[in-house]
Amino acid sequence: MPQRRIHLVRTLSYQVEILEDRCKGCQLCIKVCPRHLLKLSQHANEKGYLVVEWQYSKTLGCIGCGLCYQICPEQAIRIYAEVER
Amino acid sequence: MSRVYMKGNEAIVEGALRAGLEGFFGYPITPSSEIIEGLAERFFADRERERRGEKPMYPKFRVFLQMESELASINAVMGGASVGCRVMTASSSPGISLKQEGISYIAACELPCVIINIMRGGPGLGSIQPEQGDYFQAVKGGGHGDYKLIVFAPNSVQEMAEHTMLLFNLTDKYRTPGMLLADGYLGQMKESMEFPDVPIEEYEKPWAATGMGDRETQNTIEFLFLTPEPMVEAKTRLLQKYKQIEANEVRYEDYKIDDAKILVTAFGTPSRVAKAAVDQAREKGVKVGLIRPITLWPFPYQVYADLTTHQIDRVLVVEMSFGQFVEDVRLGVEGRAEVKLYARYGGIVPTEKEILEKIMELV
Amino acid sequence: MRVSALIPKYPEPETYMGHTHYCPGCGHATLHKLLGEVVDELGIRKRVIMIEPVGCSVLALKYLKFDGIQGPHGRAPAIATAVKRLRPESIVITYQGDGDLAAIGTNEIIHAANRGELFTVVFVNNAVYGMTGGQMAPTTLLGQKSTTTPTGRFAEFCGYPLRVCELLNTLDAPVYLERVSLFDVEHILKTRAALKKALLNQIEGRGFSLVEVLSNCPTNWKMTPEESWEFVKNEMTKVFPLGVFRDK
């Protein structure tokens, strides 16, 4: 694993990516997100599951708690910390 | 090689150890218990040697376990075979019935292993006397689905050892399970014998599930298909393997067959008695010979076909069951000759006199 | 010039391949993910040999990248016994459902545990036979409906829910028995810790470990994933109390 240096900046913002081909719309992540940033979208993936989508919002931003990642059975969620170099 | 005086079951133990047995998993049952006992004795003696800082006599024989059932034993054998080890289990008729599902999985997954069946009286709890009632179970497949076992049928203490050693090589060579089908008589009787030199044949086992290590692809031991096409492909491979074994591995013994008009045929214990009856009939001027199948699968159909095409017109089958082996003889003969069955069941071994009478009836 | 980079919070899984066939919200998938994470963390993927059961997780090896054996129903402990004893350097895991371990395979799991076999059992208890369409399991709760207890399970006909951890706790040999669940993130992380502890027991050769995971079956229970986890949390834990039964 490459040694990563994380620069701690005051306001760390996160982005969540939903791997749509893995999502089955079980909605467990929607229920667990403390900021309610996830919701069921209206489009289906190849298997016909309505996939979850993450809304980027400046004010109620994602705090990177990872609860969605932990509860997702399919490991269909990736969380990225936005860091200034 | 010096001659030794040994019990049939003991000969299997020695044969397996000389063949490089690594794991044995079994459960006691008369008349095969001497096999698990003999292996226990040698295994724990080696552990004692190691405790005393001495070298073990059988360094390859690393795992011995009396399991909770014959069923657990065959599944442990499946485990050991899946990781590429030479493994064996031994039991008698009811125990072999418990192993059938496991045997079907082992055959499907193309796993080499040796299964010893010292047959006893059946069906049900039956008796501990010798019988040959597990013939169909062994050669036609007692488990589910299309599969075959290489089945050897010894008729002497010598062959109990020799066939065990042969089975370890053949099952590794063809990646398929093998069975030694003997009876309580052969298991319990003692005879002088000489250990044949059957060198251990080493076969690479790249398919074994030993942990991926640096391998990129997973080795999974399984035979499960969600759609027909891959299953057809896999089963065709199995079928081709069985055809190959049928073409190359048929073994039988013929005795005074050249000018014979009458054919006596039997396997296992009755075949020895039949040989003596053939000699006596020959002294009475009867042109009679003996065919004794050594491999029950692959079955020597061809020799019956050839003999009954050219010279034999009457066949006497001697068997210790209602008559199972006789059906395969009939398949070989295919109506070219009259096939008579002399069956003795319940644990009674036919005598020379009885078989001689049956031969004379055919004259 | 301010440049921002996106740093992944979690490492990419090595073992867990995802794309499972499991129903949406099924605990099997979550448990596979946790097992994959723990195996990655302990760095033992290359040594693992997993024995798959017969049941929904019969395809586990399509989602977890290690060698393995698909064993007859309930016989994984017997298979694992031979695998571990003949290949002691490997890490042997049996992954079994409640039908596999607590019904047809009860004899095998009891004797493997009693011999203190050095492998690790991941036992998924979701109180139903999922793959075959929702029949009763030995762990189905009293009164719980299934396709073979259409009016609810009655002890008079089907006996009582079978508690495996408690059963195995009467044996001398096992070193670690814990019952966990997956009904919320807190318990998911506890399950992860239990799996890690169980696998460490094997790495250190300390003895037989079993982790019983209370799981769900949305499809056959005819519930949404969320409702199913509520059922596990509120109903199943009453009959199958969570906790460590043995840790020596």
Side-chain angles (χ1 to χ4, degrees):
Chain A
M1 285 286 284
Q3 196 47 39
R4 295 200 316 256
R5 288 201 331 279
I6 301 228
H7 297 265
L8 274 186
V9 292
R10 273 186 319 287
T11 56
L12 210 54
S13 66
Y14 289 86
Q15 286 186 15
V16 169
E17 180 197 3
I18 307 288
L19 305 180
E20 295 206 340
D21 59 340
R22 292 186 180 215
C23 174
K24 292 182 179 169
C26 75
Q27 303 184 46
L28 290 171
C29 57
I30 293 173
K31 301 295 178 310
V32 83
C33 173
R35 291 297 182 96
H36 309 298
L37 297 176
L38 295 159
K39 74 176 178 56
L40 200 61
S41 75
Q42 288 317 309
H43 67 275
N45 66 11
E46 202 191 62
K47 289 219 174 84
Y49 291 117
L50 289 181
V51 295
V52 167
E53 64 187 7
W54 178 75
Q55 304 144 308
Y56 182 80
S57 96
K58 203 65 189 113
T59 55
L60 279 163
C62 167
I63 55 173
C65 65
L67 291 181
C68 56
Y69 174 87
Q70 295 294 352
I71 205 148
C72 174
E74 300 295 332
Q75 209 148 26
I77 293 179
R78 294 291 180 272
I79 300 173
Y80 299 95
E82 207 177 326
V83 180
E84 282 155 24
R85 267 264 187 247
Chain B
M1 281 296 283
S2 57
R3 289 193 76 79
V4 287
Y5 183 57
M6 194 172 268
K7 188 181 243 191
N9 283 341
E10 278 292 319
I12 287 176
V13 166
E14 272 305 318
L17 291 169
R18 285 162 194 254
L21 177 69
E22 293 174 80
F24 177 82
F25 307 92
Y27 190 84
I29 182 168
T30 306
S32 60
S33 300
E34 290 83 358
I35 297 172
I36 188 169
E37 285 167 345
L39 285 165
E41 196 198 313
R42 288 163 178 77
F43 178 79
F44 289 110
D46 265 356
R47 301 295 78 76
E48 288 303 306
R49 285 191 187 86
E50 281 167 350
R51 261 192 281 281
R52 294 195 300 268
E54 296 159 28
K55 260 167 48 29
M57 268 181 72
Y58 307 101
K60 286 189 175 174
F61 185 28
R62 295 176 286 122
V63 175
F64 166 88
L65 267 185
Q66 176 180 322
M67 302 286 288
E68 59 270 24
S69 68
E70 293 92 342
L71 186 151
S73 305
I74 193 70
N75 280 286
V77 159
M78 177 178 181
S82 298
V83 294
C85 296
R86 281 197 158 185
V87 285
M88 180 171 100
T89 185
S91 187
S92 296
S93 310
I96 300 292
S97 293
L98 282 172
K99 295 180 194 283
Q100 292 305 313
E101 182 200 30
I103 290 172
S104 171
Y105 271 72
I106 288 169
C109 298
E110 300 183 81
L111 295 171
C113 69
V114 173
I115 301 146
I116 309 290
N117 180 6
I118 310 295
M119 287 186 283
R120 58 187 266 172
L125 192 51
S127 80
I128 55 171
Q129 272 79 29
E131 258 195 346
Q132 297 186 316
D134 305 354
Y135 177 88
F136 280 152
Q137 182 188 59
V139 297
K140 303 301 175 187
H144 57 286
D146 290 314
Y147 73 92
K148 285 293 177 190
L149 288 184
I150 297 176
V151 181
F152 271 75
N155 76 348
S156 67
V157 169
Q158 166 98 20
E159 284 188 342
M160 293 281 255
E162 191 180 334
H163 289 181
T164 303
M165 299 158 96
L166 273 173
L167 273 171
F168 271 110
N169 285 340
L170 283 172
T171 52
D172 268 354
K173 177 178 174 187
Y174 289 101
R175 266 190 73 186
T176 193
M179 178 180 279
L180 182 139
L181 194 65
D183 58 53
Y185 207 97
L186 280 165
Q188 296 300 325
M189 87 179 175
K190 277 196 161 187
E191 252 183 337
S192 74
M193 60 162 283
E194 205 173 336
F195 271 97
D197 177 24
V198 178
I200 294 175
E201 293 168 11
E202 299 283 349
Y203 289 93
E204 286 298 311
K205 297 183 177 178
W207 45 267
T210 52
M212 286 185 75
D214 296 324
R215 215 177 333 108
E216 242 322 288
T217 51
Q218 295 168 265
N219 279 358
T220 53
I221 307 294
E222 60 184 343
F223 194 79
L224 168 66
F225 305 91
L226 302 181
T227 54
E229 291 74 17
M231 184 153 195
V232 169
E233 205 182 297
K235 285 189 71 165
T236 306
R237 270 202 316 277
L238 271 185
L239 185 61
Q240 273 147 11
K241 177 204 314 226
Y242 296 144
K243 288 268 178 276
Q244 204 191 356
I245 297 172
E246 280 168 342
N248 303 325
E249 303 301 339
V250 170
R251 288 170 171 75
Y252 62 88
E253 177 196 358
D254 54 39
Y255 181 69
K256 297 186 176 175
I257 209 63
D258 301 340
D259 62 346
K261 279 272 168 268
I262 297 172
L263 176 66
V264 178
T265 185
F267 73 93
T269 302
S271 67
R272 290 180 63 160
V273 184
K275 187 181 267 188
V278 162
D279 287 340
Q280 287 172 20
R282 278 281 173 176
E283 279 156 25
K284 294 178 184 292
V286 177
K287 291 195 177 331
V288 60
L290 171 79
I291 287 289
R292 181 216 9 151
I294 293 172
T295 55
L296 298 182
W297 191 83
F299 190 83
Y301 294 111
Q302 198 51 48
V303 72
Y304 293 101
D306 296 344
L307 286 174
T308 50
T309 305
H310 303 301
Q311 59 186 86
I312 297 286
D313 46 32
R314 279 147 299 164
V315 178
L316 172 66
V317 176
V318 183
E319 204 177 343
M320 290 162 60
S321 73
F322 282 171
Q324 299 181 20
F325 162 64
V326 60
E327 292 194 7
D328 273 325
V329 172
R330 284 208 169 91
L331 282 178
V333 169
E334 272 180 332
R336 281 184 287 271
E338 185 197 351
V339 176
K340 275 251 183 296
L341 168 66
Y342 179 57
R344 296 285 290 185
Y345 44 80
I348 296 166
V349 179
T351 64
E352 289 158 37
K353 205 159 71 61
E354 292 163 14
I355 299 175
L356 181 58
E357 268 167 35
K358 291 297 168 186
I359 295 173
M360 302 317 285
E361 280 172 16
L362 288 176
V363 173
Chain C
M1 204 238 326
R2 258 169 29 98
V3 170
S4 71
L6 290 178
I7 309 289
K9 179 180 168 96
Y10 300 99
E12 272 302 304
E14 270 175 61
T15 298
Y16 183 55
M17 299 186 271
H19 299 292
T20 72
H21 74 286
Y22 298 118
C23 306
C26 169
H28 273 308
T30 315
L31 191 54
H32 284 23
K33 180 186 83 166
L34 292 176
L35 188 56
E37 280 175 12
V38 171
V39 164
D40 289 348
E41 187 186 333
L42 294 170
I44 52 174
R45 186 183 66 76
K46 295 183 176 186
R47 293 167 55 195
V48 171
I49 302 172
M50 188 169 89
I51 322 292
E52 292 171 324
V54 168
C56 285
S57 50
V58 70
L59 300 177
L61 283 165
K62 292 204 183 334
Y63 317 123
L64 291 163
K65 193 172 188 198
F66 24 67
D67 274 5
I69 302 163
Q70 193 284 306
H73 199 24
R75 312 311 172 192
I79 295 169
T81 296
V83 169
K84 183 66 180 181
R85 283 177 182 257
L86 283 163
R87 298 278 180 208
E89 73 291 348
S90 60
I91 300 295
V92 181
I93 301 168
T94 76
Y95 187 106
Q96 300 178 254
D98 40 33
D100 197 84
L101 183 138
I104 192 169
T106 322
N107 196 27
E108 271 67 36
I109 192 65
I110 287 177
H111 285 280
N114 196 47
R115 289 190 298 266
E117 298 294 346
L118 292 175
F119 59 80
T120 305
V121 179
V122 178
F123 165 42
V124 178
N125 172 4
N126 63 355
V128 77
Y129 280 31
M131 177 197 208
T132 43
Q135 296 80 12
M136 176 190 82
T139 50
T140 296
L141 309 186
L142 288 180
Q144 188 177 355
K145 288 191 168 64
S146 76
T147 57
T148 47
T149 57
T151 57
R153 176 179 186 170
F154 296 106
E156 181 198 355
F157 300 98
C158 318
Y160 296 83
L162 201 145
R163 298 185 185 84
V164 169
C165 277
E166 290 82 342
L167 197 72
L168 298 180
N169 197 22
T170 65
L171 304 173
D172 292 339
V175 295
Y176 177 56
L177 300 167
E178 180 168 4
R179 180 179 295 128
V180 291
S181 187
L182 301 165
F183 51 79
D184 58 26
V185 176
E186 177 204 346
H187 286 84
I188 285 177
L189 296 179
K190 276 189 177 158
T191 300
R192 194 177 188 289
L195 290 174
K196 185 173 176 182
K197 180 191 271 283
L199 284 171
L200 276 172
N201 280 343
Q202 178 171 173
I203 293 169
E204 293 156 5
R206 295 185 51 247
F208 176 86
S209 305
L210 176 141
V211 176
E212 177 177 351
V213 183
L214 291 191
S215 190
N216 65 347
C217 187
T219 300
N220 287 303
W221 291 357
K222 298 182 172 48
M223 297 176 187
T224 68
E226 195 199 353
E227 285 163 358
S228 66
W229 287 121
E230 286 305 308
F231 180 79
V232 174
K233 181 177 170 184
N234 303 326
E235 299 308 321
M236 284 185 73
T237 49
K238 285 187 200 137
V239 178
F240 300 103
L242 302 181
V244 178
F245 291 84
R246 176 168 307 179
D247 183 5
K248 58 174 182 177

